[in-house]
Amino acid sequence: DAGVTQSPTHLIKTRGQQVTLRCSPKSGHDTVSWYQQALGQGPQFIFQYYEEEERQRGNFPDRFSGHQFPNYSSELNVNALLLGDSALYLCASSSGGRTDTQYFGPGTRLTVL
Amino acid sequence: RKEVEQDPGPFNVPEGATVAFNCTYSNSASQSFFWYRQDCRKEPKLLMSVYSSGNEDGRFTAQLNRASQYISLLIRDSKLSDSATYLCVVRTGGFKTIFGAGTRLFVKA
């Protein structure tokens, strides 16, 4: 039973560029949440996707956008990258739009130079 | 004020010690509470949910005090393998999950 997978593992970009991160949820899960975790901090909620729609959003600018596909996988897009966007980006999956039990992927470590 | 606050630590304890972590939350309408564990450079993993009546899982005991808006985690008989960051998590109405910054624990032989 495959758990949550994310790609790529690591990524290096320069300021102003755009990046796309990908997530495949755990088998049987249909809900994907994205988090940003800066060094020494807890994960910060970016947004959640369920039934291919963004259901709730944290305090992140419009530069952060996402998408969920019919197979429940999801993408996180960040435009006009800033140095402060350097972080570990975590995807968590759950089922039925609930987040009581979330399973996290290993994350994508993004470095912006 | 942060929505979820934790003592960042680090807590340095010997093997076999009992250690307690506290967490406070600001939104009185919060509905669900959890403790996650995160090892260095790894993803968070659910340790246990926290219920008003208190709950125990082996050496781990979690308590919730809604009146005072705090959550606690007690670890008894600490093992070297308990060394990690412990994240307090609160879910508000809707779908938003809020993590504390985490408390680092080092258990030494």
Side-chain angles (χ1 to χ4, degrees), chain A residues 44-84:
Chain A
Q44 299 295 306
F45 176 76
I46 302 175
F47 41 52
Q48 183 193 75
Y49 278 86
Y50 173 63
E51 295 185 335
E52 300 181 50
E53 290 188 358
E54 181 182 301
R55 291 217 298 175
Q56 183 140 359
R57 188 179 186 92
N59 296 325
F60 281 81
D62 292 345
R63 298 187 298 108
F64 290 76
S65 63
H67 188 78
Q68 185 177 36
F69 299 94
N71 67 352
Y72 309 125
S73 66
S74 177
E75 286 182 350
L76 165 65
N77 300 293
V78 186
N79 294 322
L81 284 167
L82 303 173
L83 295 179

Side-chain angles (χ1 to χ4, degrees), chain A residues 14-58:
Chain A
T14 56
R15 282 178 295 176
Q17 285 190 311
Q18 178 265 343
V19 68
T20 297
L21 310 181
R22 296 176 176 81
C23 170
S24 291
K26 180 180 170 64
S27 178
H29 285 183
D30 55 11
T31 305
V32 173
S33 301
W34 286 93
Y35 295 82
Q36 179 196 66
Q37 186 173 25
L39 198 62
Q41 300 296 317
Q44 299 295 306
F45 176 76
I46 302 175
F47 41 52
Q48 183 193 75
Y49 278 86
Y50 173 63
E51 295 185 335
E52 300 181 50
E53 290 188 358
E54 181 182 301
R55 291 217 298 175
Q56 183 140 359
R57 188 179 186 92

Side-chain angles (χ1 to χ4, degrees), chain A residues 35 37 40-45 48 55-56 88 90 97-102 104-106 109, chain B residues 2 32 34 36 38 41-44 46 49 87 91-97 99-102:
Chain A
Y35 295 82
Q37 186 173 25
Q41 300 296 317
Q44 299 295 306
F45 176 76
Q48 183 193 75
R55 291 217 298 175
Q56 183 140 359
L88 178 67
L90 293 160
R98 298 178 61 85
T99 55
D100 293 42
T101 303
Q102 294 184 95
F104 282 84
R109 189 163 298 278
Chain B
K2 292 183 179 179
S32 304
F34 311 89
Y36 276 72
Q38 186 171 27
R41 303 185 74 83
K42 297 286 189 179
E43 72 274 20
L46 179 65
S49 302
L87 298 160
R91 186 170 67 89
T92 61
F95 320 108
K96 187 176 176 183
T97 303
F99 282 74

Side-chain angles (χ1 to χ4, degrees), chain B residues 65-85:
Chain B
N65 185 319
R66 285 188 182 270
S68 300
Q69 295 180 206
Y70 83 78
I71 308 150
S72 66
L73 176 68
L74 184 76
I75 305 175
R76 293 180 299 277
D77 188 22
S78 299
K79 311 292 185 189
L80 294 175
S81 57
D82 293 335
S83 296
T85 296

